[in-house]
Amino acid sequence: MSNSSFDYQAAFSRNIGWVTRQEQERLRQARVAIAGLGGVGGAHLLTLARLGIGAFNIADFDSFEVHNFNRQVGAAMSSIGRPKADVMAEMAVDINPEADVRVFKEGVSGGNIDAFLEGVDVYVDSLDFFVPEVRCLIFDACYRKGIPALTAAPLGMGVSLLYFKPGGTSFEDYFRVAGRPTQEQYARFIAGLSPAMLQRDYLVDKEAVNFAQKRGPSTMMACDLCAGVMGTSVLKVLLKRGALRAAPWALQFDAYHQKLRYTWRPFGNANPLQQLLMMLIRPILKGG
């Protein structure tokens, strides 16, 4: 099928029923920013493209490698060595040739953060765990600009969702990482993402986690769960459809244990329960 024969209404007609035609048009006019196009980021982009989102700002400076095959939707023999941003932009436009996809192949920095967030309705966080400075930069900018921001973390064989709504608890209010050493930022990010820690007891090879080498295990199932939860959450934010619990609430679903947990942590990582959790996490990071 050529681009000239593409029909938006036909392509996304099976969404109708779960959304109205008017709501589908709203999705068509929306712009979503996604930073990081690896495991969860690529899955987020394709899920939202199939939802009919009409415009994206996407950022990633990395290229696909063989070790990405287990979890990254853009990773294949044909994409080895190619920039992730280019590959994923092509895949999104292959789904919706009308989509306006702005590509930031250099990643996100202080020099382009305003351009990256220009005209954006929702920010979807998909950055690598080991780049806390960039993550803080983007979430802080979203808060200042009044942009809803969400992160869905792949944890074991599950997902943890956090939603930072404009005017509510900010990323820094929740995680409290500013000015902390890098290792402490890791501990605080883990604790904030996963207060329920549902995934903690089925890690069968602890040597696979090495924070010094910036690596850890992952599964495609977790990335797929993240994309489903994120796509639904973005839909609810854009269409103002129903409640979505914002930070200091967090949601974690673990498919391995078939458990769902909501946690509420007023004051974020300053909460006494979080302080205790970080006391357990810090020795593990030092051992890694």
Side-chain angles (χ1 to χ4, degrees):
M1 178 183 288
S2 66
N3 289 357
S4 62
S5 58
F6 175 78
D7 184 314
Y8 180 93
Q9 282 77 20
F12 304 107
S13 61
R14 295 301 178 91
N15 291 342
I16 306 303
W18 298 116
V19 299
T20 67
R21 287 176 172 79
Q22 292 76 18
E23 287 174 329
Q24 187 65 58
E25 187 60 28
R26 169 69 184 110
L27 297 175
R28 187 181 189 178
Q29 301 302 320
R31 179 174 294 276
V32 175
I34 304 174
L37 298 167
V40 291
H44 289 336
L45 176 61
L46 298 191
T47 298
L48 293 170
R50 294 192 186 280
L51 185 59
I53 299 294
F56 298 95
N57 293 356
I58 61 174
D60 199 306
F61 61 82
D62 203 3
S63 298
F64 284 115
E65 301 179 46
V66 173
H67 67 252
N68 301 142
F69 278 29
N70 79 308
R71 69 199 182 283
Q72 300 193 12
V73 295
M77 293 302 296
S78 59
S79 64
I80 291 177
R82 293 194 62 203
K84 293 180 182 180
D86 286 345
V87 172
M88 296 312 305
E90 291 170 8
M91 293 178 75
V93 173
D94 210 22
I95 293 167
N96 179 5
E98 296 180 354
D100 176 15
V101 183
R102 301 174 187 170
V103 178
F104 294 75
K105 290 170 59 174
E106 71 279 18
V108 181
S109 66
N112 68 4
I113 182 67
D114 289 334
F116 177 67
L117 294 176
E118 184 177 358
V120 166
D121 297 294
V122 178
Y123 168 62
V124 170
D125 174 49
S126 310
L127 289 166
D128 186 274
F129 176 84
F130 297 102
V131 290
E133 299 88 355
V134 180
R135 179 172 277 110
C136 291
L137 170 73
I138 300 176
F139 273 97
D140 288 349
C142 287
Y143 194 77
R144 284 188 283 103
K145 294 173 181 288
I147 299 172
L150 302 102
T151 189
L155 300 174
M157 301 178 205
V159 53
S160 179
L161 176 76
L162 280 166
Y163 167 43
F164 295 92
K165 69 178 181 180
T169 298
S170 71
F171 182 91
E172 176 56 29
D173 288 339
Y174 183 80
F175 284 102
R176 299 178 182 265
V177 295
R180 309 279 181 175
T182 299
Q183 199 81 346
E184 176 65 11
Q185 289 189 40
Y186 293 161
R188 287 171 175 266
F189 195 48
I190 292 171
L193 281 176
S194 183
M197 293 294 285
L198 297 180
Q199 77 284 2
R200 68 188 181 279
D201 65 348
Y202 60 86
L203 178 66
V204 293
D205 184 354
K206 291 181 172 53
E207 292 184 2
V209 180
N210 190 309
F211 284 86
Q213 297 178 12
K214 296 184 177 181
R215 62 175 172 83
S218 58
T219 69
M220 189 69 235
M221 298 85 77
C223 294
D224 284 340
L225 286 166
C226 286
V229 169
M230 180 62 78
T232 304
S233 300
V234 169
L235 178 150
K236 292 185 74 172
V237 171
L238 289 174
L239 302 182
K240 298 178 172 58
R241 286 261 305 261
L244 185 64
R245 298 187 190 188
W249 284 97
L251 174 156
Q252 185 176 1
F253 172 70
D254 189 88
Y256 187 87
H257 286 307
Q258 297 186 334
K259 289 182 179 180
L260 173 68
R261 292 285 186 274
Y262 283 101
T263 52
W264 184 55
R265 296 292 186 268
F267 310 109
N269 278 332
N271 187 287
L273 291 175
Q274 293 300 100
Q275 293 287 315
L276 289 172
L277 181 57
M278 286 186 287
M279 288 177 63
L280 298 174
I281 292 172
R282 290 183 186 112
I284 298 173
L285 298 189
K286 290 178 181 179

